[in-house]
Amino acid sequence: MSDGKSTNPGRCDPNFGPSFPFFFDDNQGSSMCNISVGHQDYFGGGGGGGSGGGASYMSFAGYLGGGFDASACSPSDVISASIDQQDHVTVAGSSSLGKGAAGETSESHPVSPNSSISASSSNEATMTEEDVDKGKKETSGKNQQEGCGDDHEAQEKLTKKVDEKANKKKEKRPKEPRFAFLTKSDIENLEDGYRWRKYGQKAVKNSPHPRSYYRCTSQKCTVKKRVERSFQDPSVVITTYEGRHNHLSPAALRANATIGMLPPTFLMPPPLSSFGHNIFTHEYFMGDQLFASTPHEPQVHDPVSSMFHRKLEARQDSEFQFPDHGLLQDMIPSFQNTQQP
DNA sequence: CGTTTTTGACCTGCGC
DNA sequence: GCGCAGGTCAAAAACG
Protein backbone atom coordinates (compact mmCIF):
# COMPACT_ATOMS: atom_id res chain seq x y z
CA MET A 1 0.00 0.00 0.00
CA SER A 2 1.33 3.06 0.78
CA ASP A 3 4.75 3.23 0.61
CA GLY A 4 5.71 3.00 3.90
CA LYS A 5 4.20 -0.08 3.30
CA SER A 6 3.93 -1.45 6.45
CA THR A 7 5.95 0.52 8.58
CA ASN A 8 8.32 2.96 7.76
CA PRO A 9 11.07 3.77 9.82
CA GLY A 10 11.06 6.85 11.53
CA ARG A 11 8.19 8.48 10.06
CA CYS A 12 5.47 9.81 11.92
CA ASP A 13 2.04 9.28 11.17
CA PRO A 14 -0.23 11.76 12.20
CA ASN A 15 -2.40 9.45 13.79
CA PHE A 16 -0.60 7.12 15.61
CA GLY A 17 0.36 6.38 18.89
CA PRO A 18 2.30 3.76 20.17
CA SER A 19 0.99 1.87 22.78
CA PHE A 20 2.36 -0.37 25.06
CA PRO A 21 3.16 -3.68 24.99
CA PHE A 22 2.31 -6.40 26.68
CA PHE A 23 4.60 -8.88 26.19
CA PHE A 24 4.83 -12.36 26.70
CA ASP A 25 7.66 -14.54 26.64
CA ASP A 26 6.84 -17.97 25.97
CA ASN A 27 10.08 -19.40 26.40
CA GLN A 28 9.80 -22.31 28.54
CA GLY A 29 6.30 -22.53 28.00
CA SER A 30 5.24 -21.29 31.11
CA SER A 31 2.61 -19.20 31.04
CA MET A 32 1.76 -15.97 31.27
CA CYS A 33 0.78 -13.40 33.24
CA ASN A 34 -1.43 -10.65 33.21
CA ILE A 35 -1.39 -7.20 32.95
CA SER A 36 -3.41 -4.41 33.15
CA VAL A 37 -3.19 -1.18 32.01
CA GLY A 38 -4.39 1.72 31.25
CA HIS A 39 -5.77 4.60 30.33
CA GLN A 40 -5.07 7.28 28.41
CA ASP A 41 -2.77 9.66 29.48
CA TYR A 42 -0.06 11.58 28.53
CA PHE A 43 3.26 12.27 29.63
CA GLY A 44 5.00 14.87 27.98
CA GLY A 45 8.22 14.86 26.83
CA GLY A 46 10.43 12.79 28.37
CA GLY A 47 13.34 11.61 27.17
CA GLY A 48 14.24 8.85 25.83
CA GLY A 49 14.49 5.47 25.54
CA GLY A 50 15.41 3.19 27.68
CA SER A 51 16.76 0.37 28.96
CA GLY A 52 14.36 -1.24 30.87
CA GLY A 53 16.10 -1.38 33.95
CA GLY A 54 18.34 -3.66 35.37
CA ALA A 55 19.42 -6.94 34.63
CA SER A 56 16.42 -8.54 35.67
CA TYR A 57 14.21 -6.09 34.27
CA MET A 58 14.28 -6.14 30.70
CA SER A 59 12.08 -3.97 28.85
CA PHE A 60 9.97 -5.30 26.22
CA ALA A 61 12.14 -3.53 23.93
CA GLY A 62 14.97 -5.49 25.09
CA TYR A 63 13.05 -8.53 24.61
CA LEU A 64 12.18 -7.90 21.20
CA GLY A 65 15.57 -7.20 20.64
CA GLY A 66 14.89 -4.10 19.41
CA GLY A 67 11.62 -3.99 18.85
CA PHE A 68 10.34 -0.81 18.46
CA ASP A 69 11.44 2.26 17.31
CA ALA A 70 9.11 4.49 17.98
CA SER A 71 10.70 7.05 16.44
CA ALA A 72 7.77 7.38 14.87
CA CYS A 73 5.16 9.02 16.27
CA SER A 74 2.16 9.21 17.70
CA PRO A 75 -0.79 10.58 18.50
CA SER A 76 -3.00 8.29 19.86
CA ASP A 77 -3.31 6.58 22.97
CA VAL A 78 -2.01 3.49 23.86
CA ILE A 79 -2.98 0.96 26.11
CA SER A 80 -1.06 -1.93 26.67
CA ALA A 81 0.71 -4.35 28.66
CA SER A 82 3.46 -6.64 28.25
CA ILE A 83 4.60 -9.54 30.04
CA ASP A 84 7.44 -11.61 30.43
CA GLN A 85 7.20 -14.71 32.21
CA GLN A 86 10.35 -14.43 33.92
CA ASP A 87 10.13 -11.57 36.03
CA HIS A 88 9.05 -8.72 34.33
CA VAL A 89 5.97 -7.36 33.24
CA THR A 90 5.46 -4.25 31.52
CA VAL A 91 2.47 -2.45 30.78
CA ALA A 92 1.75 0.62 29.24
CA GLY A 93 -0.61 3.07 28.23
CA SER A 94 0.20 5.78 26.27
CA SER A 95 0.05 8.66 24.33
CA SER A 96 2.13 11.05 22.85
CA LEU A 97 5.32 12.33 23.69
CA GLY A 98 7.78 14.75 23.00
CA LYS A 99 11.00 14.27 21.55
CA GLY A 100 12.88 11.35 22.18
CA ALA A 101 16.36 10.80 22.67
CA ALA A 102 16.65 9.74 19.27
CA GLY A 103 15.79 12.99 18.13
CA GLU A 104 14.02 12.37 15.03
CA THR A 105 11.23 14.29 14.09
CA SER A 106 8.77 14.08 16.56
CA GLU A 107 7.19 16.99 17.95
CA SER A 108 4.97 16.77 20.71
CA HIS A 109 1.61 15.66 19.90
CA PRO A 110 -1.28 16.44 21.91
CA VAL A 111 -2.73 13.55 23.37
CA SER A 112 -6.18 12.74 23.67
CA PRO A 113 -7.58 11.17 26.55
CA ASN A 114 -8.98 8.00 25.88
CA SER A 115 -9.84 4.83 26.98
CA SER A 116 -8.94 2.32 29.35
CA ILE A 117 -8.06 -1.07 28.51
CA SER A 118 -6.51 -3.91 30.07
CA ALA A 119 -4.89 -6.91 28.95
CA SER A 120 -3.38 -10.05 29.92
CA SER A 121 -1.68 -12.54 28.07
CA SER A 122 -1.98 -15.97 27.33
CA ASN A 123 0.13 -16.82 24.80
CA GLU A 124 0.55 -20.17 24.83
CA ALA A 125 0.82 -22.17 22.01
CA THR A 126 -0.66 -19.87 19.81
CA MET A 127 2.27 -18.80 18.17
CA THR A 128 5.14 -20.53 19.16
CA GLU A 129 5.60 -22.76 16.47
CA GLU A 130 6.35 -20.25 14.07
CA ASP A 131 9.97 -20.33 13.77
CA VAL A 132 10.10 -23.83 13.27
CA ASP A 133 7.07 -23.71 11.37
CA LYS A 134 8.41 -21.77 8.72
CA GLY A 135 10.61 -24.44 7.68
CA LYS A 136 7.97 -26.91 8.18
CA LYS A 137 5.46 -25.27 6.19
CA GLU A 138 7.67 -24.75 3.40
CA THR A 139 8.29 -28.25 3.33
CA SER A 140 5.11 -29.59 4.02
CA GLY A 141 2.74 -27.80 2.00
CA LYS A 142 4.61 -27.52 -1.04
CA ASN A 143 6.42 -30.58 -1.08
CA GLN A 144 3.44 -32.61 -0.65
CA GLN A 145 1.90 -31.09 -3.56
CA GLU A 146 4.85 -31.39 -5.74
CA GLY A 147 5.86 -34.61 -4.53
CA CYS A 148 5.02 -36.10 -7.77
CA GLY A 149 8.56 -36.59 -8.40
CA ASP A 150 9.48 -33.93 -10.73
CA ASP A 151 12.85 -33.91 -9.53
CA HIS A 152 15.01 -35.73 -7.20
CA GLU A 153 16.53 -32.69 -5.84
CA ALA A 154 13.23 -31.50 -4.81
CA GLN A 155 12.57 -34.73 -3.15
CA GLU A 156 15.79 -34.74 -1.35
CA LYS A 157 15.19 -31.32 -0.12
CA LEU A 158 11.89 -32.39 1.00
CA THR A 159 13.19 -35.25 2.89
CA LYS A 160 15.69 -33.13 4.59
CA LYS A 161 13.17 -30.62 5.56
CA VAL A 162 10.91 -33.24 6.85
CA ASP A 163 13.64 -34.58 8.97
CA GLU A 164 14.43 -31.23 10.31
CA LYS A 165 10.88 -30.79 11.19
CA ALA A 166 10.69 -33.98 12.99
CA ASN A 167 13.73 -33.14 14.95
CA LYS A 168 12.50 -29.81 15.85
CA LYS A 169 9.29 -31.19 17.03
CA LYS A 170 11.05 -33.49 19.27
CA GLU A 171 13.33 -30.87 20.54
CA LYS A 172 10.56 -28.67 21.53
CA ARG A 173 11.64 -25.46 20.26
CA PRO A 174 11.85 -22.47 22.42
CA LYS A 175 9.10 -20.08 22.08
CA GLU A 176 9.75 -16.69 20.83
CA PRO A 177 9.19 -13.86 23.17
CA ARG A 178 6.14 -11.95 22.31
CA PHE A 179 4.54 -8.85 23.42
CA ALA A 180 1.54 -7.02 22.37
CA PHE A 181 0.22 -3.61 22.89
CA LEU A 182 -2.90 -1.76 22.20
CA THR A 183 -2.99 1.44 20.39
CA LYS A 184 -5.78 3.72 19.90
CA SER A 185 -5.40 4.80 16.38
CA ASP A 186 -7.02 4.95 13.05
CA ILE A 187 -3.98 3.56 11.51
CA GLU A 188 -3.16 -0.02 11.88
CA ASN A 189 0.40 0.09 11.01
CA LEU A 190 2.46 1.37 13.77
CA GLU A 191 5.66 2.97 12.84
CA ASP A 192 8.07 1.12 14.93
CA GLY A 193 11.19 1.81 13.03
CA TYR A 194 11.44 -1.50 11.28
CA ARG A 195 10.38 -2.51 7.87
CA TRP A 196 7.74 -5.15 7.61
CA ARG A 197 6.44 -7.18 4.83
CA LYS A 198 2.91 -8.40 4.95
CA TYR A 199 2.67 -12.07 4.30
CA GLY A 200 -0.89 -12.82 5.13
CA GLN A 201 -4.23 -11.61 6.27
CA LYS A 202 -6.91 -13.62 7.91
CA ALA A 203 -10.40 -13.05 8.98
CA VAL A 204 -10.72 -13.47 12.66
CA LYS A 205 -13.52 -15.26 14.26
CA ASN A 206 -15.98 -13.02 15.99
CA SER A 207 -14.41 -9.98 14.57
CA PRO A 208 -15.26 -8.02 11.50
CA HIS A 209 -11.71 -6.92 11.28
CA PRO A 210 -9.10 -9.06 9.63
CA ARG A 211 -5.77 -9.78 11.21
CA SER A 212 -2.68 -8.98 9.23
CA TYR A 213 0.60 -10.84 9.48
CA TYR A 214 3.90 -9.16 8.94
CA ARG A 215 7.46 -10.29 8.91
CA CYS A 216 10.55 -8.17 9.37
CA THR A 217 12.13 -7.62 5.98
CA SER A 218 15.61 -7.78 7.28
CA GLN A 219 17.47 -10.85 6.28
CA LYS A 220 17.72 -13.48 8.88
CA CYS A 221 15.45 -11.59 11.17
CA THR A 222 12.53 -13.76 12.10
CA VAL A 223 10.52 -11.24 13.97
CA LYS A 224 6.86 -11.20 13.13
CA LYS A 225 4.00 -9.09 14.11
CA ARG A 226 0.29 -9.37 13.88
CA VAL A 227 -1.99 -6.44 13.68
CA GLU A 228 -5.68 -6.47 14.24
CA ARG A 229 -8.38 -4.24 15.48
CA SER A 230 -10.42 -4.84 18.50
CA PHE A 231 -13.81 -5.75 17.38
CA GLN A 232 -15.40 -4.04 20.26
CA ASP A 233 -13.56 -0.88 19.85
CA PRO A 234 -12.43 -0.49 16.30
CA SER A 235 -10.35 2.42 17.27
CA VAL A 236 -8.06 0.16 19.18
CA VAL A 237 -5.36 -1.62 17.29
CA ILE A 238 -3.80 -4.69 18.77
CA THR A 239 -0.26 -5.30 17.68
CA THR A 240 1.59 -8.38 18.72
CA TYR A 241 5.30 -8.76 18.15
CA GLU A 242 7.00 -12.05 18.23
CA GLY A 243 10.68 -12.63 18.34
CA ARG A 244 13.59 -10.32 18.61
CA HIS A 245 15.22 -8.31 15.95
CA ASN A 246 18.78 -9.22 15.36
CA HIS A 247 19.61 -5.95 13.79
CA LEU A 248 19.20 -2.27 14.27
CA SER A 249 16.14 -0.65 13.00
CA PRO A 250 16.60 1.55 10.03
CA ALA A 251 15.30 4.43 12.04
CA ALA A 252 17.66 3.75 14.87
CA LEU A 253 20.55 3.62 12.54
CA ARG A 254 19.58 6.85 11.10
CA ALA A 255 19.09 8.45 14.41
CA ASN A 256 22.32 7.20 15.76
CA ALA A 257 24.20 8.31 12.78
CA THR A 258 22.71 11.67 13.05
CA ILE A 259 22.93 12.14 16.68
CA GLY A 260 25.84 10.08 17.63
CA MET A 261 25.58 11.23 21.15
CA LEU A 262 23.29 8.77 22.68
CA PRO A 263 24.38 7.24 25.87
CA PRO A 264 25.48 3.71 25.76
CA THR A 265 22.29 2.60 27.20
CA PHE A 266 20.58 3.59 24.12
CA LEU A 267 23.03 2.37 21.73
CA MET A 268 23.68 -0.99 23.01
CA PRO A 269 21.08 -3.30 21.89
CA PRO A 270 19.47 -2.42 18.77
CA PRO A 271 16.18 -2.65 20.17
CA LEU A 272 16.59 -0.39 22.98
CA SER A 273 17.90 2.30 20.97
CA SER A 274 15.01 2.10 18.83
CA PHE A 275 12.67 2.42 21.58
CA GLY A 276 14.08 5.57 22.54
CA HIS A 277 11.18 7.53 21.92
CA ASN A 278 7.66 7.00 21.87
CA ILE A 279 7.03 3.98 23.63
CA PHE A 280 9.27 4.40 26.41
CA THR A 281 8.55 7.85 26.81
CA HIS A 282 5.02 7.19 27.30
CA GLU A 283 4.08 5.01 29.96
CA TYR A 284 5.71 1.95 30.85
CA PHE A 285 5.14 -0.03 33.92
CA MET A 286 7.45 -2.45 35.33
CA GLY A 287 6.03 -5.71 36.17
CA ASP A 288 7.00 -5.88 39.69
CA GLN A 289 5.15 -2.82 40.31
CA LEU A 290 2.14 -4.32 38.97
CA PHE A 291 2.30 -7.56 40.70
CA ALA A 292 4.25 -6.94 43.73
CA SER A 293 4.07 -4.34 46.31
CA THR A 294 7.69 -3.68 46.45
CA PRO A 295 8.70 -0.65 44.71
CA HIS A 296 10.97 -1.30 41.97
CA GLU A 297 14.32 0.20 42.08
CA PRO A 298 15.80 0.42 38.73
CA GLN A 299 19.17 -1.03 38.64
CA VAL A 300 20.27 1.02 35.88
CA HIS A 301 19.54 4.53 36.24
CA ASP A 302 18.20 6.20 33.30
CA PRO A 303 15.59 8.64 32.50
CA VAL A 304 13.26 6.09 31.37
CA SER A 305 13.32 4.15 34.51
CA SER A 306 12.54 7.10 36.55
CA MET A 307 9.85 7.88 34.30
CA PHE A 308 8.27 4.61 34.86
CA HIS A 309 7.79 5.37 38.41
CA ARG A 310 6.21 8.60 37.85
CA LYS A 311 3.93 7.26 35.35
CA LEU A 312 2.97 4.43 37.41
CA GLU A 313 1.90 6.66 40.15
CA ALA A 314 -0.07 8.64 37.82
CA ARG A 315 -1.91 5.66 36.78
CA GLN A 316 -2.75 4.02 39.94
CA ASP A 317 -6.06 5.55 40.14
CA SER A 318 -7.09 4.51 36.84
CA GLU A 319 -9.95 2.32 36.41
CA PHE A 320 -9.27 -0.50 34.19
CA GLN A 321 -11.87 -2.09 32.33
CA PHE A 322 -11.50 -4.26 29.55
CA PRO A 323 -14.20 -3.87 27.14
CA ASP A 324 -12.85 -6.16 24.70
CA HIS A 325 -13.82 -9.67 24.37
CA GLY A 326 -12.75 -12.28 22.16
CA LEU A 327 -9.56 -11.27 20.66
CA LEU A 328 -8.23 -9.31 23.42
CA GLN A 329 -9.40 -11.63 25.95
CA ASP A 330 -7.65 -14.36 24.30
CA MET A 331 -4.54 -12.48 24.71
CA ILE A 332 -5.27 -11.15 28.02
CA PRO A 333 -7.64 -13.27 29.83
CA SER A 334 -6.74 -12.47 33.26
CA PHE A 335 -6.44 -8.94 33.06
CA GLN A 336 -8.86 -8.28 35.70
CA ASN A 337 -7.05 -10.27 38.17
CA THR A 338 -4.17 -8.01 38.05
CA GLN A 339 -6.06 -5.13 39.16
CA GLN A 340 -5.46 -3.81 42.44
CA PRO A 341 -7.96 -4.58 45.04
C1' DC B 1 12.36 -4.31 -12.63
C1' DG B 2 12.39 -5.11 -7.85
C1' DT B 3 9.63 -5.02 -3.86
C1' DT B 4 5.37 -5.33 -1.45
C1' DT B 5 0.46 -6.50 -1.10
C1' DT B 6 -3.38 -9.37 -2.04
C1' DT B 7 -5.62 -13.53 -1.60
C1' DG B 8 -6.91 -18.36 -2.05
C1' DA B 9 -5.12 -22.67 -0.74
C1' DC B 10 -2.83 -25.46 2.38
C1' DC B 11 -1.12 -27.03 6.92
C1' DT B 12 -1.40 -27.61 11.87
C1' DG B 13 -3.30 -27.72 16.38
C1' DC B 14 -7.18 -28.12 19.24
C1' DG B 15 -11.73 -29.23 20.89
C1' DC B 16 -15.61 -32.12 20.42
C1' DG C 1 -11.83 -38.76 13.13
C1' DC C 2 -13.94 -34.39 11.95
C1' DG C 3 -14.48 -29.64 11.76
C1' DC C 4 -12.94 -25.16 13.01
C1' DA C 5 -9.78 -21.48 13.52
C1' DG C 6 -5.33 -19.66 13.21
C1' DG C 7 -1.10 -19.21 10.72
C1' DT C 8 1.71 -19.50 6.50
C1' DC C 9 2.79 -20.04 1.68
C1' DA C 10 3.19 -18.45 -2.87
C1' DA C 11 1.37 -16.98 -7.36
C1' DA C 12 -0.42 -13.01 -9.24
C1' DA C 13 -1.23 -8.22 -9.08
C1' DA C 14 -0.01 -3.67 -7.79
C1' DC C 15 3.16 -0.15 -6.95
C1' DG C 16 7.14 3.01 -7.23
Side-chain angles (χ1 to χ4, degrees):
Chain A
M1 315 232 124
S2 21
D3 61 61
K5 265 102 196 240
S6 349
T7 26
N8 245 336
R11 259 292 135 332
C12 286
D13 272 8
N15 273 320
F16 233 14
S19 32
F20 272 75
F22 56 98
F23 151 25
F24 351 95
D25 178 357
D26 289 351
N27 285 325
Q28 329 202 353
S30 11
S31 48
M32 274 47 326
C33 350
N34 336 290
I35 324 177
S36 53
V37 181
H39 246 48
Q40 58 219 28
D41 61 93
Y42 149 16
F43 295 100
S51 51
S56 37
Y57 301 100
M58 192 180 217
S59 62
F60 47 81
Y63 249 81
L64 277 185
F68 277 159
D69 180 59
S71 36
C73 11
S74 31
S76 1
D77 309 296
V78 182
I79 320 166
S80 51
S82 82
I83 303 176
D84 159 350
Q85 311 176 298
Q86 312 218 330
D87 10 58
H88 353 356
V89 176
T90 53
V91 180
S94 82
S95 21
S96 53
L97 38 98
K99 293 193 150 214
E104 274 279 287
T105 44
S106 32
E107 299 182 348
S108 30
H109 301 276
V111 181
S112 46
N114 289 310
S115 44
S116 44
I117 297 180
S118 53
S120 82
S121 55
S122 65
N123 39 332
E124 257 289 268
T126 331
M127 337 213 79
T128 33
E129 320 177 294
E130 311 205 347
D131 291 352
V132 178
D133 273 351
K134 261 190 164 178
K136 293 181 176 183
K137 295 203 163 171
E138 286 180 6
T139 355
S140 63
K142 270 195 169 183
N143 291 328
Q144 290 181 6
Q145 296 176 9
E146 305 177 343
C148 314
D150 285 341
D151 114 41
H152 290 301
E153 287 186 3
Q155 294 241 344
E156 285 180 16
K157 283 184 181 178
L158 238 174
T159 317
K160 284 184 180 181
K161 287 186 179 181
V162 173
D163 283 344
E164 286 179 10
K165 278 184 173 184
N167 289 334
K168 286 185 179 179
K169 271 191 174 181
K170 288 181 181 180
E171 289 177 11
K172 192 179 182 179
R173 55 182 164 172
K175 300 180 181 181
E176 291 286 331
R178 294 189 300 160
F179 83 70
F181 57 86
L182 310 181
T183 306
K184 197 141 191 175
S185 169
D186 291 337
I187 300 174
E188 289 187 13
N189 252 319
L190 276 174
E191 293 291 336
D192 56 12
Y194 287 91
R195 294 188 41 109
W196 303 92
R197 178 177 177 172
K198 188 174 185 175
Y199 65 89
Q201 179 171 304
K202 257 294 209 184
V204 180
K205 183 187 176 187
N206 294 326
S207 175
H209 309 288
R211 175 181 297 157
S212 297
Y213 299 87
Y214 298 87
R215 209 171 344 238
C216 180
T217 59
S218 179
Q219 285 191 329
K220 295 183 179 180
C221 182
T222 60
V223 178
K224 293 175 199 169
K225 80 170 179 179
R226 290 182 298 178
V227 179
E228 64 188 281
R229 281 191 179 279
S230 163
F231 86 99
Q232 286 219 331
D233 184 353
S235 64
V236 174
V237 176
I238 304 166
T239 304
T240 304
Y241 287 85
E242 181 178 349
R244 301 185 203 184
H245 289 283
N246 56 12
H247 58 95
L248 284 170
S249 71
L253 286 172
R254 267 202 333 229
N256 289 343
T258 306
I259 297 175
M261 296 173 67
L262 295 176
T265 320
F266 292 76
L267 300 175
M268 273 186 39
L272 292 178
S273 58
S274 23
F275 267 109
H277 221 236
N278 289 341
I279 294 185
F280 277 160
T281 0
H282 288 252
E283 318 158 32
Y284 182 85
F285 297 151
M286 298 306 284
D288 53 337
Q289 291 195 343
L290 288 173
F291 300 99
S293 53
T294 325
H296 162 51
E297 201 42 68
Q299 303 188 347
V300 173
H301 187 64
D302 64 35
V304 177
S305 298
S306 327
M307 209 159 59
F308 291 162
H309 288 122
R310 283 178 292 169
K311 299 194 169 181
L312 181 62
E313 289 180 10
R315 275 191 184 251
Q316 308 244 283
D317 56 13
S318 311
E319 220 182 297
F320 299 118
Q321 282 188 349
F322 204 47
D324 225 284
H325 291 158
L327 297 177
L328 285 178
Q329 289 194 336
D330 283 347
M331 295 174 61
I332 329 168
S334 43
F335 164 71
Q336 291 161 354
N337 295 332
T338 57
Q339 303 201 4
Q340 303 270 346

